[in-house]
C-alpha cells in the first residue's frame, strides 16, 4: 500500500485525473491560511450531545446516504464492511499510471459517512500484466475491483484492458486482513484468473465470447462460488470458480452460463453484481455508457431469480437474456450516469458524475444508497431536495480556557451532513474543523449538528464559524457567526 500523498501531490492527482477525463479544472483544494488550531470536543465516532430528540445519523433509513470527505475520483466502487466496523471501498486506479495506476482504497470509520483516501494496493502495475499486453498499448490503470471474503481470506479481483476492446483480463490478489496497520497486511499477487476473448462457451456459436472485466463474486445455495463477468460483446456470463484458489474450475467454459444479453446494437450492458435477499438472487447491471462525464448515460437495472444461474427476470417478467431489465436507479438532480455498482448487505455502492462539484464539474464520485426492499424488489429514493438551513448557529462569547458550543440544523433529500468550518481572515478562506461532530437525525430528512470547541485561546478571538450542510445535489452554508474569546472576568455571553 502506498501512503497518502501530501497536499501538493493530492492536488496534482486530482488535476491529472480530471484532465484525463476531459473535465475542466478549477480550484481543486482550497488554499490554507495561517490560523489558530481549532479543537473540537468530539470526534466523528462519538455521538454528540443535543437537547431534545435525535438518533445518531449512522442509523440509516432506506434511501440515499450522504457521504463527505474524500469521495472522488472513485470509479467502480467495491464495498465491504469489515468485522471491526470499518467500511472500505476499492476503486479503479488513476489514469496514466498516476500513483502507479493500481487499485485505490478508501475507508470510513463512521459507518460510511466520512471517507478518507487510504492509498493503493501496490505501487505499480504487476510486470506480468504489461507482458500480457506487450503487443500494443499498455493498460494505463487497473479497473473495476471486487472484494470478497471466504474462510478468512480476502479475494481482490481486478481487471486490465484497453478501452473499447475485449483484449482483457481479470486477475486476483489476496490478503488475510484489510487493516493496513496490521503486521500481516500484504496484498499477494495471485496472477491471472480469466482472459478474453474466450472460446468454447457455446458449441452452437464458436464466436461467442465476453469481455473479461467487471467481476462480481456470489455463492449459490450449496456454497458453490461463481464469478459474474462481462461488458458489451455477448453480455454477462456466470463462470464457476472454486475455493481456495478463487479461480475457475477445470473445463469452466462448458459450465459457463450466459445470463444477460440485451440483443441490441453494441449490447451496452456491464458491471454485473449478484446478491441474495430472501428467496431470490438479484442481478444488478449497468446499462448504456459510462466514462463520459456529464454526457454519461449509465443507469442501474435489475432482474431476479430463484437460482443463482438464472434465468433472471425483471419486474415485468422479461428475461435479462433477451432485452429485459428493470431500471431502478437513473440520473436525477446532480447525479449523472450512476453505475459500476456493488452491493454489501443492504447497501448499494456506485459511482456517478457529480454535477454539484463546482471545482471539477462531473468528477466521478462515490454514491451510497441503503436499499429499500419492497414486495421482493429493490427500491431507491431518487427525490431531489437541496439542503436548506432551518436553524443557524448563534454568536458565542466565552473565556479563555473554556469551551464554546454552536448548533445548526437543515433539511434535504438525501438527508444532509454538516461539516463545520472556521475562518481567521474574515471569511477569505475557510478551514474544516479537524474532528467533525456526528450529524444526528431529528425527523424525516431533518438533520442537526452541534460543534463544541474546547481549550479556547486568546488567538481564537474573532474566529468566524459556520456549518455547511451537503448532500449529493448541493450544499447550503449557515451565515458566519463570530466566536469571541475574552479574558477571565470579562463580561460574556453564555454559549
Amino acid at each position: 500500500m502506498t501512503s497518502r500523498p501530501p497536499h501538493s501531490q493530492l492536488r496534482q492527482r486530482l488535476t491529472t485525473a480530471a484532465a484525463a477525463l476531459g473535465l475542466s479544472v478549477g480550484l481543486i483544494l482550497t488554499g490554507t491560511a495561517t490560523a489558530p488550531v481549532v479543537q473540537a470536543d468530539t470526534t466523528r465516532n462519538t455521538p454528540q450531545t443535543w437537547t431534545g430528540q435525535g438518533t445518531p445519523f449512522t442509523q440509516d433509513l432506506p434511501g440515499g446516504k450522504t457521504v463527505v470527505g474524500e469521495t472522488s475520483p472513485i470509479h467502480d466502487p467495491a464495498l465491504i464492511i469489515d468485522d471491526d466496523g470499518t467500511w472500505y471501498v476499492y476503486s479503479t486506479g488513476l489514469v496514466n499510471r498516476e500513483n502507479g495506476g493500481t487499485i485505490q482504497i478508501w475507508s470510513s470509520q463512521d459507518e460510511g459517512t466520512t471517507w478518507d483516501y487510504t492509498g493503493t494496493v501496490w505501487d505499480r502495475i504487476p510486470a506480468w500484466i504489461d507482458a500480457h499486453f506487450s503487443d500494443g498499448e499498455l493498460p494505463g490503470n487497473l479497473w473495476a475491483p471486487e472484494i470478497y471474503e471466504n474462510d478468512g481470506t480476502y479475494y481482490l479481483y481486478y481487471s486490465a484492458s484497453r478501452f473499447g476492446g475485449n483484449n482483457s483480463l481479470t486477475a486476483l490478489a489476496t490478503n488475510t486482513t484489510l487493516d493496513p496497520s496490521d503486521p500481516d497486511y500484504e496484498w499477494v499477487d495471485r496472477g491471472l484468473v480469466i482472459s478474453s476473448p474466450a472460446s468454447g462457451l457455446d458449441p452452437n456459436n464458436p464466436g461467442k465470447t465476453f469481455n473479461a472485466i467487471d467481476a462480481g463474486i456470489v455463492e449459490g445455495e450449496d456454497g458453490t462460488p461463481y464469478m459474474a463477468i462481462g461488458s458489451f460483446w455477448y453480455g454477462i456470463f456466470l463462470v464457476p470458480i472454486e475455493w481456495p484458489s478463487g479461480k475457475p474450475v477445470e473445463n469452466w467454459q462448458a459450465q459457463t452460463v450466459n445470463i444477460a444479453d440485451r440483443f441490441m446494437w453494441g449490447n451496452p450492458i456491464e458491471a454485473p453484481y449478484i446478491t441474495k435477499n430472501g428467496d431470490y438472487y438479484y442481478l444488478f447491471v449497468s446499462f448504456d455508457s459510462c466514462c463520459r462525464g456529464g454526457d454519461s448515460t449509465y443507469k442501474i437495472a435489475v432482474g431476479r431469480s430463484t437460482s443463482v444461474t438464472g434465468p433472471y427476470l425483471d419486474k415485468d417478467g422479461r428475461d435479462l437474456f433477451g432485452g429485459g431489465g428493470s431500471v431502478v436507479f437513473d440520473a436525477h438532480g446532480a447525479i449523472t450516469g450512476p453505475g459500476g455498482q456493488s452491493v454489501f448487505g443492504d447497501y448499494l455502492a456506485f459511482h456517478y458524475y457529480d454535477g454539484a462539484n463546482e471545482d471539477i464539474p462531473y468528477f466521478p464520485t462515490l454514491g451510497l444508497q441503503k436499499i429499500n426492499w419492497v414486495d421482493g424488489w429493490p427500491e431507491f429514493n431518487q427525490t431531489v431536495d437541496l439542503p436548506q438551513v432551518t436553524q443557524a448557529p448563534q454568536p458565542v462569547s466565552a473565556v479563555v480556557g473554556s469551551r464554546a458550543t454552536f448548533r445548526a440544523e437543515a433539511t434535504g433529500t438525501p438527508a444532509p451532513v454538516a461539516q463545520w468550518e472556521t475562518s481567521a481572515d474574515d471569511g477569505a478562506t475557510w478551514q474544516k474543523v479537524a474532528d467533525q461532530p456526528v450529524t444526528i437525525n431529528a425527523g424525516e430528512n431533518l438533520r442537526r449538528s452541534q460543534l463544541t470547541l474546547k481549550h479556547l485561546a486568546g488567538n481564537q478571538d474573532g474566529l468566524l464559524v459556520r456549518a455547511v450542510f451537503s448532500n449529493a445535489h448541493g450544499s447550503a452554508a449557515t451565515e458566519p457567526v463570530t466566536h469571541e474569546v475574552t479574558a477571565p472576568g470579562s463580561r460574556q455571553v453564555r454559549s
Side-chain angles (χ1 to χ4, degrees):
M1 186 197 74
T2 61
S3 60
R4 175 180 171 180
H7 186 281
S8 61
Q9 292 182 19
L10 184 59
R11 182 186 183 99
Q12 180 61 39
R13 179 171 72 90
L14 297 178
T15 304
T16 302
L21 289 169
L23 305 175
S24 60
V25 182
L27 179 64
I28 297 175
L29 296 172
T30 56
T32 55
T34 302
V37 175
V38 177
Q39 292 181 299
D41 193 38
T42 178
T43 70
R44 58 191 184 215
N45 289 321
T46 305
Q48 66 197 89
T49 300
W50 183 268
T51 302
Q53 300 298 313
T55 57
F57 176 74
T58 50
Q59 296 178 4
D60 296 318
L61 299 174
K65 181 176 177 65
T66 296
V67 295
V68 295
E70 296 175 309
T71 58
S72 59
I74 291 179
H75 238 286
D76 307 313
L79 172 67
I80 188 170
I81 303 174
D82 206 2
D83 291 340
D84 66 359
T86 303
W87 292 42
Y88 291 95
V89 157
Y90 294 78
S91 71
T92 289
L94 291 175
V95 297
N96 301 322
R97 302 205 174 192
E98 280 288 308
N99 276 8
T102 70
I103 298 302
Q104 300 183 100
I105 310 170
W106 316 75
S107 63
S108 170
Q109 300 297 330
D110 60 358
E111 300 187 26
T113 297
T114 309
W115 290 86
D116 295 304
Y117 173 72
T118 306
T120 56
V121 171
W122 297 308
D123 293 327
R124 60 184 60 85
I125 292 174
W128 69 265
I129 293 180
D130 285 351
H132 181 93
F133 291 96
S134 61
D135 61 339
E137 180 184 3
L138 299 179
N141 55 341
L142 302 180
W143 298 353
E146 154 72 327
I147 183 74
Y148 194 89
E149 186 271 336
N150 176 262
D151 196 24
T153 296
Y154 295 93
Y155 293 78
L156 177 67
Y157 296 86
Y158 62 90
S159 302
S161 185
R162 297 177 180 134
F163 197 80
N166 74 332
N167 180 6
S168 308
L169 64 83
T170 287
L172 174 64
T174 61
N175 208 330
T176 58
T177 177
L178 299 181
D179 181 3
S181 67
D182 191 307
D184 294 328
Y185 180 89
E186 180 186 10
W187 285 108
V188 179
D189 181 6
R190 302 299 184 185
L192 179 69
V193 175
I194 201 167
S195 65
S196 61
S199 60
L201 300 174
D202 184 349
N204 297 317
N205 184 0
K208 176 176 281 194
T209 188
F210 56 78
N211 193 8
I213 68 171
D214 291 350
I217 306 302
V218 63
E219 293 187 12
E221 286 288 349
D222 61 357
T224 300
Y226 296 87
M227 173 188 292
I229 197 164
S231 168
F232 291 68
W233 270 262
Y234 283 81
I236 308 304
F237 291 75
L238 197 63
V239 178
I241 62 174
E242 59 187 358
W243 306 126
S245 72
K247 297 186 178 184
V249 300
E250 186 178 357
N251 194 29
W252 62 268
Q253 293 92 337
Q255 303 171 60
T256 292
V257 183
N258 196 178
I259 57 175
D261 190 319
R262 298 184 74 183
F263 290 99
M264 61 187 296
W265 185 86
N267 203 17
I269 181 173
E270 59 185 2
Y273 201 91
I274 300 174
T275 188
K276 182 84 180 310
N277 183 269
D279 295 330
Y280 290 96
Y281 293 90
Y282 293 82
L283 170 60
F284 290 86
V285 293
S286 295
F287 279 175
D288 301 332
S289 299
C290 81
C291 313
R292 300 179 181 180
D295 295 326
S296 299
T297 57
Y298 241 18
K299 54 187 67 72
I300 300 173
V302 70
R304 71 182 188 183
S305 174
T306 55
S307 170
V308 69
T309 57
Y312 286 89
L313 308 182
D314 68 12
K315 292 182 179 180
D316 297 320
R318 299 173 301 170
D319 197 330
L320 266 67
F321 186 80
S326 298
V327 174
V328 291
F329 200 69
D330 203 348
H332 60 285
I335 294 176
T336 295
Q341 64 286 326
S342 66
V343 177
F344 192 90
D346 284 332
Y347 286 91
L348 176 86
F350 58 95
H351 72 251
Y352 67 95
Y353 302 93
D354 185 5
N357 189 329
E358 296 179 356
D359 297 333
I360 312 175
Y362 300 107
F363 211 38
T365 300
L366 173 65
L368 291 173
Q369 274 255 353
K370 187 172 184 180
I371 302 172
N372 191 23
W373 296 98
V374 179
D375 297 328
W377 289 98
E379 290 190 356
F380 300 94
N381 188 342
Q382 298 179 78
T383 304
V384 177
D385 185 8
L386 294 173
Q388 283 190 310
V389 174
T390 56
Q391 178 180 324
Q394 299 298 308
V396 171
S397 179
V399 299
V400 171
S402 66
R403 61 184 61 189
T405 300
F406 303 86
R407 300 182 178 97
E409 66 178 30
T411 61
T413 307
V417 171
Q419 290 193 295
W420 290 86
E421 300 177 339
T422 61
S423 175
D425 53 12
D426 294 323
T429 60
W430 290 89
Q431 317 302 319
K432 286 186 172 63
V433 173
D435 291 322
Q436 294 287 334
V438 172
T439 303
I440 63 173
N441 296 329
E444 185 175 1
N445 295 326
L446 176 65
R447 296 295 182 264
R448 290 173 173 168
S449 186
Q450 173 177 297
L451 173 72
T452 299
L453 305 179
K454 62 180 181 179
H455 307 316
L456 300 178
N459 68 345
Q460 291 176 297
D461 183 42
L463 199 69
L464 296 181
V465 178
R466 71 179 184 184
V468 180
F469 285 90
S470 301
N471 67 11
H473 305 293
S475 61
T478 63
E479 288 295 322
V481 295
T482 304
H483 174 214
E484 295 183 353
V485 180
T486 61
S490 299
R491 184 181 180 186
Q492 57 179 297
V493 179
R494 182 180 297 274
S495 64

